[in-house]
Amino acid sequence: LSPNFRKLLPRLADKVGFAVSTVTYKWPAWLRAQTEKQRVIWAYKILFLDVFFPSEVERVLFIDADQIVRADVKELWDIDLKGAVYG
């Protein structure tokens, strides 16, 4: 997150009414170093969603920031992945 967004996020959470917390993740040594352009680094974040959250979290629905949601995402949430890690 950019420094400006980090400052904005708590105020936005208060205004809109949601809780926010951040997670710091150590980049794996075996993966390409973070010297690549930001878009390449962010492309990998989806692969590590399962380690970003505590094991008690049963499901994460990732919607990228540039996506436009025009319907209720509950339908996606309720899809039976039949044991698959990603859907």
Side-chain angles (χ1 to χ4, degrees):
L1 301 176
S2 72
N4 286 339
F5 189 69
R6 281 186 184 270
K7 291 178 192 173
L8 171 69
L9 199 52
R11 294 193 319 254
L12 181 62
D14 288 340
K15 184 176 181 177
V16 177
F18 63 89
V20 64
S21 61
T22 57
V23 176
T24 302
Y25 179 72
K26 187 176 186 298
W27 195 258
W30 55 267
L31 202 54
R32 188 181 338 199
Q34 291 188 18
T35 56
E36 296 294 316
K37 291 185 176 186
Q38 191 67 29
R39 64 181 171 77
V40 174
I41 294 168
W42 284 108
Y44 289 110
K45 71 183 175 291
I46 299 168
L47 299 175
F48 296 102
L49 285 177
D50 61 328
V51 295
F52 285 160
F53 298 95
S55 59
E56 297 82 32
V57 175
E58 293 181 24
R59 181 174 281 207
V60 173
L61 180 60
F62 178 82
I63 302 172
D64 211 338
D66 63 351
Q67 297 299 304
I68 298 171
V69 177
R70 299 182 59 190
D72 189 345
V73 296
K74 186 172 182 338
E75 185 177 342
L76 287 175
W77 185 262
D78 290 340
I79 289 176
D80 181 3
L81 297 176
K82 298 178 178 25
V85 178
Y86 299 101

mmCIF file of all heavy atoms in Angstrom, residues 9-56:
data_model
loop_
_atom_site.group_PDB
_atom_site.id
_atom_site.type_symbol
_atom_site.label_atom_id
_atom_site.label_comp_id
_atom_site.label_asym_id
_atom_site.label_seq_id
_atom_site.Cartn_x
_atom_site.Cartn_y
_atom_site.Cartn_z
ATOM 1 N N LEU A 9 -6.816 5.082 4.628
ATOM 2 C CA LEU A 9 -7.604 3.891 4.915
ATOM 3 C C LEU A 9 -8.355 3.928 6.250
ATOM 4 O O LEU A 9 -9.548 3.635 6.283
ATOM 5 C CB LEU A 9 -6.723 2.648 4.810
ATOM 6 C CG LEU A 9 -7.421 1.319 4.637
ATOM 7 C CD1 LEU A 9 -8.414 1.335 3.493
ATOM 8 C CD2 LEU A 9 -6.398 0.229 4.416
ATOM 9 N N PRO A 10 -7.735 4.288 7.369
ATOM 10 C CA PRO A 10 -8.491 4.333 8.628
ATOM 11 C C PRO A 10 -9.641 5.345 8.593
ATOM 12 O O PRO A 10 -10.718 5.074 9.121
ATOM 13 C CB PRO A 10 -7.441 4.744 9.662
ATOM 14 C CG PRO A 10 -6.138 4.354 9.068
ATOM 15 C CD PRO A 10 -6.307 4.536 7.588
ATOM 16 N N ARG A 11 -9.430 6.492 7.972
ATOM 17 C CA ARG A 11 -10.504 7.490 7.872
ATOM 18 C C ARG A 11 -11.644 6.964 7.006
ATOM 19 O O ARG A 11 -12.817 7.139 7.321
ATOM 20 C CB ARG A 11 -9.967 8.804 7.304
ATOM 21 C CG ARG A 11 -8.979 9.497 8.227
ATOM 22 C CD ARG A 11 -8.707 10.931 7.808
ATOM 23 N NE ARG A 11 -8.577 11.148 6.386
ATOM 24 C CZ ARG A 11 -7.437 11.375 5.749
ATOM 25 N NH1 ARG A 11 -6.313 11.455 6.423
ATOM 26 N NH2 ARG A 11 -7.419 11.567 4.446
ATOM 27 N N LEU A 12 -11.289 6.301 5.917
ATOM 28 C CA LEU A 12 -12.291 5.715 5.042
ATOM 29 C C LEU A 12 -13.075 4.632 5.776
ATOM 30 O O LEU A 12 -14.293 4.549 5.660
ATOM 31 C CB LEU A 12 -11.623 5.140 3.788
ATOM 32 C CG LEU A 12 -12.529 4.507 2.749
ATOM 33 C CD1 LEU A 12 -13.504 5.532 2.189
ATOM 34 C CD2 LEU A 12 -11.698 3.898 1.631
ATOM 35 N N ALA A 13 -12.383 3.820 6.546
ATOM 36 C CA ALA A 13 -13.036 2.759 7.313
ATOM 37 C C ALA A 13 -14.039 3.343 8.299
ATOM 38 O O ALA A 13 -15.155 2.834 8.441
ATOM 39 C CB ALA A 13 -11.987 1.920 8.044
ATOM 40 N N ASP A 14 -13.662 4.414 8.989
ATOM 41 C CA ASP A 14 -14.576 5.066 9.930
ATOM 42 C C ASP A 14 -15.789 5.637 9.205
ATOM 43 O O ASP A 14 -16.921 5.495 9.661
ATOM 44 C CB ASP A 14 -13.870 6.187 10.688
ATOM 45 C CG ASP A 14 -12.883 5.660 11.719
ATOM 46 O OD1 ASP A 14 -13.009 4.477 12.111
ATOM 47 O OD2 ASP A 14 -11.996 6.430 12.124
ATOM 48 N N LYS A 15 -15.552 6.271 8.091
ATOM 49 C CA LYS A 15 -16.641 6.912 7.350
ATOM 50 C C LYS A 15 -17.618 5.896 6.771
ATOM 51 O O LYS A 15 -18.833 6.061 6.846
ATOM 52 C CB LYS A 15 -16.066 7.785 6.231
ATOM 53 C CG LYS A 15 -17.113 8.561 5.459
ATOM 54 C CD LYS A 15 -16.483 9.481 4.438
ATOM 55 C CE LYS A 15 -17.566 10.268 3.709
ATOM 56 N NZ LYS A 15 -16.997 11.209 2.758
ATOM 57 N N VAL A 16 -17.095 4.839 6.180
ATOM 58 C CA VAL A 16 -17.932 3.851 5.509
ATOM 59 C C VAL A 16 -18.429 2.782 6.486
ATOM 60 O O VAL A 16 -19.481 2.203 6.296
ATOM 61 C CB VAL A 16 -17.177 3.214 4.323
ATOM 62 C CG1 VAL A 16 -17.990 2.131 3.649
ATOM 63 C CG2 VAL A 16 -16.777 4.286 3.321
ATOM 64 N N GLY A 17 -17.658 2.535 7.538
ATOM 65 C CA GLY A 17 -18.076 1.562 8.540
ATOM 66 C C GLY A 17 -17.538 0.165 8.338
ATOM 67 O O GLY A 17 -18.291 -0.797 8.304
ATOM 68 N N PHE A 18 -16.228 0.033 8.178
ATOM 69 C CA PHE A 18 -15.631 -1.289 8.097
ATOM 70 C C PHE A 18 -14.358 -1.314 8.920
ATOM 71 O O PHE A 18 -13.813 -0.276 9.276
ATOM 72 C CB PHE A 18 -15.358 -1.721 6.644
ATOM 73 C CG PHE A 18 -14.364 -0.877 5.903
ATOM 74 C CD1 PHE A 18 -13.015 -1.175 5.938
ATOM 75 C CD2 PHE A 18 -14.791 0.208 5.145
ATOM 76 C CE1 PHE A 18 -12.095 -0.410 5.241
ATOM 77 C CE2 PHE A 18 -13.879 0.979 4.446
ATOM 78 C CZ PHE A 18 -12.530 0.676 4.498
ATOM 79 N N ALA A 19 -13.920 -2.505 9.260
ATOM 80 C CA ALA A 19 -12.689 -2.675 10.024
ATOM 81 C C ALA A 19 -11.543 -2.908 9.063
ATOM 82 O O ALA A 19 -11.724 -3.519 8.009
ATOM 83 C CB ALA A 19 -12.818 -3.852 10.980
ATOM 84 N N VAL A 20 -10.377 -2.427 9.432
ATOM 85 C CA VAL A 20 -9.216 -2.603 8.566
ATOM 86 C C VAL A 20 -8.004 -2.972 9.409
ATOM 87 O O VAL A 20 -7.838 -2.486 10.525
ATOM 88 C CB VAL A 20 -8.941 -1.336 7.721
ATOM 89 C CG1 VAL A 20 -8.582 -0.166 8.603
ATOM 90 C CG2 VAL A 20 -7.843 -1.576 6.717
ATOM 91 N N SER A 21 -7.211 -3.877 8.878
ATOM 92 C CA SER A 21 -5.920 -4.205 9.476
ATOM 93 C C SER A 21 -4.989 -4.569 8.333
ATOM 94 O O SER A 21 -5.438 -4.925 7.243
ATOM 95 C CB SER A 21 -6.035 -5.355 10.473
ATOM 96 O OG SER A 21 -6.493 -6.514 9.847
ATOM 97 N N THR A 22 -3.711 -4.455 8.555
ATOM 98 C CA THR A 22 -2.752 -4.762 7.496
ATOM 99 C C THR A 22 -1.889 -5.949 7.918
ATOM 100 O O THR A 22 -1.726 -6.222 9.103
ATOM 101 C CB THR A 22 -1.851 -3.550 7.180
ATOM 102 O OG1 THR A 22 -1.183 -3.147 8.372
ATOM 103 C CG2 THR A 22 -2.669 -2.386 6.655
ATOM 104 N N VAL A 23 -1.360 -6.624 6.930
ATOM 105 C CA VAL A 23 -0.500 -7.774 7.144
ATOM 106 C C VAL A 23 0.811 -7.509 6.417
ATOM 107 O O VAL A 23 0.810 -7.086 5.263
ATOM 108 C CB VAL A 23 -1.147 -9.055 6.562
ATOM 109 C CG1 VAL A 23 -0.215 -10.240 6.693
ATOM 110 C CG2 VAL A 23 -2.478 -9.323 7.229
ATOM 111 N N THR A 24 1.915 -7.722 7.084
ATOM 112 C CA THR A 24 3.222 -7.611 6.444
ATOM 113 C C THR A 24 3.675 -9.014 6.069
ATOM 114 O O THR A 24 3.617 -9.928 6.890
ATOM 115 C CB THR A 24 4.247 -6.956 7.396
ATOM 116 O OG1 THR A 24 3.754 -5.682 7.773
ATOM 117 C CG2 THR A 24 5.595 -6.806 6.715
ATOM 118 N N TYR A 25 4.081 -9.175 4.843
ATOM 119 C CA TYR A 25 4.453 -10.487 4.350
ATOM 120 C C TYR A 25 5.884 -10.443 3.824
ATOM 121 O O TYR A 25 6.228 -9.579 3.038
ATOM 122 C CB TYR A 25 3.488 -10.920 3.237
ATOM 123 C CG TYR A 25 3.817 -12.259 2.642
ATOM 124 C CD1 TYR A 25 3.600 -13.420 3.376
ATOM 125 C CD2 TYR A 25 4.363 -12.371 1.384
ATOM 126 C CE1 TYR A 25 3.907 -14.658 2.848
ATOM 127 C CE2 TYR A 25 4.678 -13.603 0.854
ATOM 128 C CZ TYR A 25 4.440 -14.739 1.586
ATOM 129 O OH TYR A 25 4.756 -15.965 1.072
ATOM 130 N N LYS A 26 6.704 -11.372 4.277
ATOM 131 C CA LYS A 26 8.090 -11.461 3.802
ATOM 132 C C LYS A 26 8.087 -12.165 2.443
ATOM 133 O O LYS A 26 7.592 -13.276 2.298
ATOM 134 C CB LYS A 26 8.936 -12.243 4.800
ATOM 135 C CG LYS A 26 10.411 -12.246 4.472
ATOM 136 C CD LYS A 26 11.187 -12.956 5.580
ATOM 137 C CE LYS A 26 12.665 -12.879 5.391
ATOM 138 N NZ LYS A 26 13.204 -13.493 4.217
ATOM 139 N N TRP A 27 8.603 -11.490 1.452
ATOM 140 C CA TRP A 27 8.647 -12.041 0.102
ATOM 141 C C TRP A 27 9.513 -13.294 0.073
ATOM 142 O O TRP A 27 10.623 -13.302 0.591
ATOM 143 C CB TRP A 27 9.225 -10.986 -0.835
ATOM 144 C CG TRP A 27 9.002 -11.282 -2.284
ATOM 145 C CD1 TRP A 27 9.903 -11.777 -3.162
ATOM 146 C CD2 TRP A 27 7.790 -11.090 -3.014
ATOM 147 N NE1 TRP A 27 9.340 -11.926 -4.403
ATOM 148 C CE2 TRP A 27 8.033 -11.507 -4.343
ATOM 149 C CE3 TRP A 27 6.526 -10.625 -2.684
ATOM 150 C CZ2 TRP A 27 7.064 -11.462 -5.331
ATOM 151 C CZ3 TRP A 27 5.561 -10.574 -3.670
ATOM 152 C CH2 TRP A 27 5.838 -10.995 -4.977
ATOM 153 N N PRO A 28 9.036 -14.405 -0.517
ATOM 154 C CA PRO A 28 9.821 -15.652 -0.545
ATOM 155 C C PRO A 28 11.140 -15.469 -1.300
ATOM 156 O O PRO A 28 11.169 -14.867 -2.370
ATOM 157 C CB PRO A 28 8.913 -16.621 -1.305
ATOM 158 C CG PRO A 28 7.560 -16.024 -1.269
ATOM 159 C CD PRO A 28 7.748 -14.544 -1.165
ATOM 160 N N ALA A 29 12.211 -15.987 -0.741
ATOM 161 C CA ALA A 29 13.535 -15.846 -1.344
ATOM 162 C C ALA A 29 13.615 -16.551 -2.698
ATOM 163 O O ALA A 29 14.354 -16.119 -3.579
ATOM 164 C CB ALA A 29 14.590 -16.403 -0.392
ATOM 165 N N TRP A 30 12.849 -17.618 -2.875
ATOM 166 C CA TRP A 30 12.913 -18.382 -4.122
ATOM 167 C C TRP A 30 12.161 -17.712 -5.263
ATOM 168 O O TRP A 30 12.324 -18.081 -6.416
ATOM 169 C CB TRP A 30 12.376 -19.794 -3.920
ATOM 170 C CG TRP A 30 10.988 -19.840 -3.358
ATOM 171 C CD1 TRP A 30 10.670 -19.942 -2.035
ATOM 172 C CD2 TRP A 30 9.764 -19.777 -4.067
ATOM 173 N NE1 TRP A 30 9.313 -19.935 -1.885
ATOM 174 C CE2 TRP A 30 8.719 -19.835 -3.120
ATOM 175 C CE3 TRP A 30 9.426 -19.668 -5.412
ATOM 176 C CZ2 TRP A 30 7.380 -19.792 -3.468
ATOM 177 C CZ3 TRP A 30 8.082 -19.630 -5.754
ATOM 178 C CH2 TRP A 30 7.089 -19.695 -4.791
ATOM 179 N N LEU A 31 11.366 -16.700 -4.951
ATOM 180 C CA LEU A 31 10.599 -16.010 -5.973
ATOM 181 C C LEU A 31 11.395 -14.800 -6.465
ATOM 182 O O LEU A 31 12.215 -14.254 -5.740
ATOM 183 C CB LEU A 31 9.265 -15.561 -5.376
ATOM 184 C CG LEU A 31 8.127 -15.289 -6.325
ATOM 185 C CD1 LEU A 31 7.848 -16.471 -7.241
ATOM 186 C CD2 LEU A 31 6.864 -14.985 -5.523
ATOM 187 N N ARG A 32 11.130 -14.403 -7.667
ATOM 188 C CA ARG A 32 11.816 -13.254 -8.254
ATOM 189 C C ARG A 32 11.861 -12.076 -7.272
ATOM 190 O O ARG A 32 10.860 -11.736 -6.656
ATOM 191 C CB ARG A 32 11.086 -12.846 -9.517
ATOM 192 C CG ARG A 32 11.794 -11.808 -10.328
ATOM 193 C CD ARG A 32 11.039 -11.408 -11.550
ATOM 194 N NE ARG A 32 10.072 -12.437 -11.969
ATOM 195 C CZ ARG A 32 9.552 -12.524 -13.164
ATOM 196 N NH1 ARG A 32 9.858 -11.661 -14.079
ATOM 197 N NH2 ARG A 32 8.691 -13.459 -13.465
ATOM 198 N N ALA A 33 13.000 -11.475 -7.134
ATOM 199 C CA ALA A 33 13.167 -10.366 -6.183
ATOM 200 C C ALA A 33 12.260 -9.199 -6.526
ATOM 201 O O ALA A 33 11.832 -9.041 -7.679
ATOM 202 C CB ALA A 33 14.620 -9.903 -6.193
ATOM 203 N N GLN A 34 11.973 -8.365 -5.548
ATOM 204 C CA GLN A 34 11.056 -7.248 -5.732
ATOM 205 C C GLN A 34 11.703 -6.074 -6.453
ATOM 206 O O GLN A 34 11.452 -4.928 -6.156
ATOM 207 C CB GLN A 34 10.499 -6.798 -4.392
ATOM 208 C CG GLN A 34 9.566 -7.796 -3.776
ATOM 209 C CD GLN A 34 8.887 -7.237 -2.558
ATOM 210 O OE1 GLN A 34 8.828 -6.052 -2.332
ATOM 211 N NE2 GLN A 34 8.355 -8.126 -1.754
ATOM 212 N N THR A 35 12.522 -6.364 -7.411
ATOM 213 C CA THR A 35 13.122 -5.302 -8.214
ATOM 214 C C THR A 35 12.353 -5.094 -9.515
ATOM 215 O O THR A 35 12.623 -4.182 -10.259
ATOM 216 C CB THR A 35 14.592 -5.631 -8.545
ATOM 217 O OG1 THR A 35 14.632 -6.889 -9.190
ATOM 218 C CG2 THR A 35 15.440 -5.671 -7.282
ATOM 219 N N GLU A 36 11.392 -5.968 -9.770
ATOM 220 C CA GLU A 36 10.567 -5.856 -10.975
ATOM 221 C C GLU A 36 9.581 -4.705 -10.822
ATOM 222 O O GLU A 36 9.350 -4.207 -9.728
ATOM 223 C CB GLU A 36 9.799 -7.149 -11.215
ATOM 224 C CG GLU A 36 10.678 -8.338 -11.491
ATOM 225 C CD GLU A 36 11.426 -8.218 -12.800
ATOM 226 O OE1 GLU A 36 10.826 -7.814 -13.811
ATOM 227 O OE2 GLU A 36 12.626 -8.527 -12.806
ATOM 228 N N LYS A 37 8.952 -4.332 -11.903
ATOM 229 C CA LYS A 37 7.943 -3.285 -11.842
ATOM 230 C C LYS A 37 6.802 -3.718 -10.924
ATOM 231 O O LYS A 37 6.522 -4.898 -10.785
ATOM 232 C CB LYS A 37 7.397 -2.981 -13.236
ATOM 233 C CG LYS A 37 8.409 -2.319 -14.125
ATOM 234 C CD LYS A 37 7.779 -1.943 -15.446
ATOM 235 C CE LYS A 37 8.800 -1.200 -16.282
ATOM 236 N NZ LYS A 37 8.233 -0.697 -17.502
ATOM 237 N N GLN A 38 6.149 -2.731 -10.333
ATOM 238 C CA GLN A 38 5.094 -3.013 -9.365
ATOM 239 C C GLN A 38 4.009 -3.942 -9.905
ATOM 240 O O GLN A 38 3.542 -4.819 -9.211
ATOM 241 C CB GLN A 38 4.467 -1.699 -8.896
ATOM 242 C CG GLN A 38 3.549 -1.851 -7.713
ATOM 243 C CD GLN A 38 4.252 -2.252 -6.446
ATOM 244 O OE1 GLN A 38 5.407 -1.937 -6.238
ATOM 245 N NE2 GLN A 38 3.565 -2.983 -5.595
ATOM 246 N N ARG A 39 3.629 -3.793 -11.149
ATOM 247 C CA ARG A 39 2.557 -4.638 -11.689
ATOM 248 C C ARG A 39 2.941 -6.105 -11.703
ATOM 249 O O ARG A 39 2.098 -6.979 -11.523
ATOM 250 C CB ARG A 39 2.126 -4.165 -13.066
ATOM 251 C CG ARG A 39 3.191 -4.261 -14.126
ATOM 252 C CD ARG A 39 2.682 -3.735 -15.467
ATOM 253 N NE ARG A 39 3.746 -3.632 -16.417
ATOM 254 C CZ ARG A 39 4.282 -4.659 -17.063
ATOM 255 N NH1 ARG A 39 3.827 -5.864 -16.860
ATOM 256 N NH2 ARG A 39 5.259 -4.487 -17.913
ATOM 257 N N VAL A 40 4.214 -6.415 -11.887
ATOM 258 C CA VAL A 40 4.657 -7.805 -11.867
ATOM 259 C C VAL A 40 4.600 -8.344 -10.445
ATOM 260 O O VAL A 40 4.127 -9.452 -10.200
ATOM 261 C CB VAL A 40 6.082 -7.938 -12.450
ATOM 262 C CG1 VAL A 40 6.601 -9.349 -12.289
ATOM 263 C CG2 VAL A 40 6.099 -7.512 -13.900
ATOM 264 N N ILE A 41 5.044 -7.545 -9.489
ATOM 265 C CA ILE A 41 5.013 -7.961 -8.090
ATOM 266 C C ILE A 41 3.579 -8.220 -7.653
ATOM 267 O O ILE A 41 3.267 -9.229 -7.041
ATOM 268 C CB ILE A 41 5.675 -6.892 -7.196
ATOM 269 C CG1 ILE A 41 7.172 -6.806 -7.522
ATOM 270 C CG2 ILE A 41 5.459 -7.215 -5.722
ATOM 271 C CD1 ILE A 41 7.859 -5.612 -6.917
ATOM 272 N N TRP A 42 2.683 -7.307 -7.984
ATOM 273 C CA TRP A 42 1.291 -7.458 -7.565
ATOM 274 C C TRP A 42 0.628 -8.655 -8.239
ATOM 275 O O TRP A 42 -0.338 -9.206 -7.720
ATOM 276 C CB TRP A 42 0.507 -6.183 -7.831
ATOM 277 C CG TRP A 42 0.844 -5.152 -6.814
ATOM 278 C CD1 TRP A 42 1.583 -4.026 -7.006
ATOM 279 C CD2 TRP A 42 0.476 -5.163 -5.430
ATOM 280 N NE1 TRP A 42 1.694 -3.335 -5.828
ATOM 281 C CE2 TRP A 42 1.033 -4.005 -4.848
ATOM 282 C CE3 TRP A 42 -0.253 -6.026 -4.633
ATOM 283 C CZ2 TRP A 42 0.866 -3.698 -3.507
ATOM 284 C CZ3 TRP A 42 -0.415 -5.721 -3.293
ATOM 285 C CH2 TRP A 42 0.145 -4.580 -2.746
ATOM 286 N N ALA A 43 1.120 -9.070 -9.377
ATOM 287 C CA ALA A 43 0.539 -10.233 -10.049
ATOM 288 C C ALA A 43 0.690 -11.484 -9.193
ATOM 289 O O ALA A 43 -0.141 -12.388 -9.253
ATOM 290 C CB ALA A 43 1.190 -10.430 -11.408
ATOM 291 N N TYR A 44 1.718 -11.553 -8.372
ATOM 292 C CA TYR A 44 1.962 -12.726 -7.536
ATOM 293 C C TYR A 44 1.104 -12.756 -6.279
ATOM 294 O O TYR A 44 0.955 -13.796 -5.657
ATOM 295 C CB TYR A 44 3.430 -12.797 -7.122
ATOM 296 C CG TYR A 44 4.365 -13.155 -8.244
ATOM 297 C CD1 TYR A 44 5.243 -12.218 -8.754
ATOM 298 C CD2 TYR A 44 4.365 -14.428 -8.790
ATOM 299 C CE1 TYR A 44 6.107 -12.542 -9.792
ATOM 300 C CE2 TYR A 44 5.224 -14.771 -9.817
ATOM 301 C CZ TYR A 44 6.094 -13.814 -10.317
ATOM 302 O OH TYR A 44 6.939 -14.141 -11.329
ATOM 303 N N LYS A 45 0.531 -11.638 -5.874
ATOM 304 C CA LYS A 45 -0.167 -11.583 -4.592
ATOM 305 C C LYS A 45 -1.313 -12.581 -4.504
ATOM 306 O O LYS A 45 -1.575 -13.132 -3.450
ATOM 307 C CB LYS A 45 -0.656 -10.176 -4.286
ATOM 308 C CG LYS A 45 -1.810 -9.693 -5.140
ATOM 309 C CD LYS A 45 -2.162 -8.265 -4.794
ATOM 310 C CE LYS A 45 -3.221 -7.708 -5.689
ATOM 311 N NZ LYS A 45 -2.853 -7.486 -7.064
ATOM 312 N N ILE A 46 -1.971 -12.839 -5.605
ATOM 313 C CA ILE A 46 -3.098 -13.761 -5.600
ATOM 314 C C ILE A 46 -2.630 -15.173 -5.239
ATOM 315 O O ILE A 46 -3.337 -15.917 -4.567
ATOM 316 C CB ILE A 46 -3.816 -13.739 -6.960
ATOM 317 C CG1 ILE A 46 -4.365 -12.338 -7.233
ATOM 318 C CG2 ILE A 46 -4.920 -14.772 -7.025
ATOM 319 C CD1 ILE A 46 -4.834 -12.123 -8.647
ATOM 320 N N LEU A 47 -1.432 -15.546 -5.652
ATOM 321 C CA LEU A 47 -0.920 -16.884 -5.377
ATOM 322 C C LEU A 47 -0.683 -17.125 -3.898
ATOM 323 O O LEU A 47 -0.634 -18.271 -3.449
ATOM 324 C CB LEU A 47 0.391 -17.110 -6.139
ATOM 325 C CG LEU A 47 0.305 -17.035 -7.656
ATOM 326 C CD1 LEU A 47 1.695 -17.158 -8.255
ATOM 327 C CD2 LEU A 47 -0.625 -18.104 -8.192
ATOM 328 N N PHE A 48 -0.541 -16.054 -3.114
ATOM 329 C CA PHE A 48 -0.199 -16.186 -1.704
ATOM 330 C C PHE A 48 -1.322 -15.780 -0.763
ATOM 331 O O PHE A 48 -1.102 -15.594 0.422
ATOM 332 C CB PHE A 48 1.062 -15.378 -1.396
ATOM 333 C CG PHE A 48 2.251 -15.893 -2.134
ATOM 334 C CD1 PHE A 48 2.696 -15.243 -3.270
ATOM 335 C CD2 PHE A 48 2.903 -17.044 -1.732
ATOM 336 C CE1 PHE A 48 3.785 -15.725 -3.977
ATOM 337 C CE2 PHE A 48 3.980 -17.537 -2.425
ATOM 338 C CZ PHE A 48 4.428 -16.869 -3.558
ATOM 339 N N LEU A 49 -2.541 -15.659 -1.271
ATOM 340 C CA LEU A 49 -3.651 -15.277 -0.412
ATOM 341 C C LEU A 49 -3.846 -16.253 0.745
ATOM 342 O O LEU A 49 -4.232 -15.860 1.830
ATOM 343 C CB LEU A 49 -4.944 -15.152 -1.215
ATOM 344 C CG LEU A 49 -5.053 -13.909 -2.091
ATOM 345 C CD1 LEU A 49 -6.340 -13.944 -2.886
ATOM 346 C CD2 LEU A 49 -4.965 -12.640 -1.279
ATOM 347 N N ASP A 50 -3.554 -17.523 0.512
ATOM 348 C CA ASP A 50 -3.750 -18.509 1.568
ATOM 349 C C ASP A 50 -2.786 -18.338 2.737
ATOM 350 O O ASP A 50 -3.060 -18.798 3.834
ATOM 351 C CB ASP A 50 -3.663 -19.929 1.009
ATOM 352 C CG ASP A 50 -2.324 -20.241 0.381
ATOM 353 O OD1 ASP A 50 -1.695 -19.316 -0.179
ATOM 354 O OD2 ASP A 50 -1.897 -21.401 0.436
ATOM 355 N N VAL A 51 -1.663 -17.659 2.535
ATOM 356 C CA VAL A 51 -0.730 -17.440 3.649
ATOM 357 C C VAL A 51 -0.826 -16.025 4.217
ATOM 358 O O VAL A 51 -0.221 -15.735 5.241
ATOM 359 C CB VAL A 51 0.734 -17.736 3.235
ATOM 360 C CG1 VAL A 51 0.908 -19.202 2.903
ATOM 361 C CG2 VAL A 51 1.182 -16.854 2.099
ATOM 362 N N PHE A 52 -1.572 -15.163 3.570
ATOM 363 C CA PHE A 52 -1.764 -13.810 4.084
ATOM 364 C C PHE A 52 -2.703 -13.782 5.276
ATOM 365 O O PHE A 52 -2.669 -12.870 6.080
ATOM 366 C CB PHE A 52 -2.340 -12.884 3.013
ATOM 367 C CG PHE A 52 -1.365 -12.461 1.971
ATOM 368 C CD1 PHE A 52 -1.815 -11.995 0.750
ATOM 369 C CD2 PHE A 52 -0.004 -12.503 2.179
ATOM 370 C CE1 PHE A 52 -0.936 -11.579 -0.226
ATOM 371 C CE2 PHE A 52 0.899 -12.103 1.211
ATOM 372 C CZ PHE A 52 0.423 -11.637 0.004
ATOM 373 N N PHE A 53 -3.583 -14.768 5.377
ATOM 374 C CA PHE A 53 -4.626 -14.770 6.387
ATOM 375 C C PHE A 53 -4.432 -15.926 7.360
ATOM 376 O O PHE A 53 -3.847 -16.945 7.010
ATOM 377 C CB PHE A 53 -6.004 -14.886 5.722
ATOM 378 C CG PHE A 53 -6.319 -13.724 4.824
ATOM 379 C CD1 PHE A 53 -6.079 -13.792 3.466
ATOM 380 C CD2 PHE A 53 -6.826 -12.552 5.351
ATOM 381 C CE1 PHE A 53 -6.357 -12.719 2.640
ATOM 382 C CE2 PHE A 53 -7.106 -11.475 4.538
ATOM 383 C CZ PHE A 53 -6.874 -11.551 3.184
ATOM 384 N N PRO A 54 -4.956 -15.784 8.589
ATOM 385 C CA PRO A 54 -4.868 -16.892 9.555
ATOM 386 C C PRO A 54 -5.595 -18.130 9.031
ATOM 387 O O PRO A 54 -6.519 -18.028 8.212
ATOM 388 C CB PRO A 54 -5.590 -16.341 10.798
ATOM 389 C CG PRO A 54 -5.690 -14.876 10.605
ATOM 390 C CD PRO A 54 -5.637 -14.618 9.132
ATOM 391 N N SER A 55 -5.205 -19.285 9.508
ATOM 392 C CA SER A 55 -5.803 -20.539 9.023
ATOM 393 C C SER A 55 -7.287 -20.640 9.355
ATOM 394 O O SER A 55 -7.999 -21.423 8.732
ATOM 395 C CB SER A 55 -5.048 -21.739 9.588
ATOM 396 O OG SER A 55 -5.095 -21.716 11.006
ATOM 397 N N GLU A 56 -7.765 -19.859 10.323
ATOM 398 C CA GLU A 56 -9.185 -19.883 10.679
ATOM 399 C C GLU A 56 -10.063 -19.277 9.578
ATOM 400 O O GLU A 56 -11.262 -19.519 9.525
ATOM 401 C CB GLU A 56 -9.456 -19.107 11.977
ATOM 402 C CG GLU A 56 -8.764 -19.681 13.195
ATOM 403 C CD GLU A 56 -7.312 -19.246 13.302
ATOM 404 O OE1 GLU A 56 -6.965 -18.122 12.872
ATOM 405 O OE2 GLU A 56 -6.514 -20.039 13.821
#
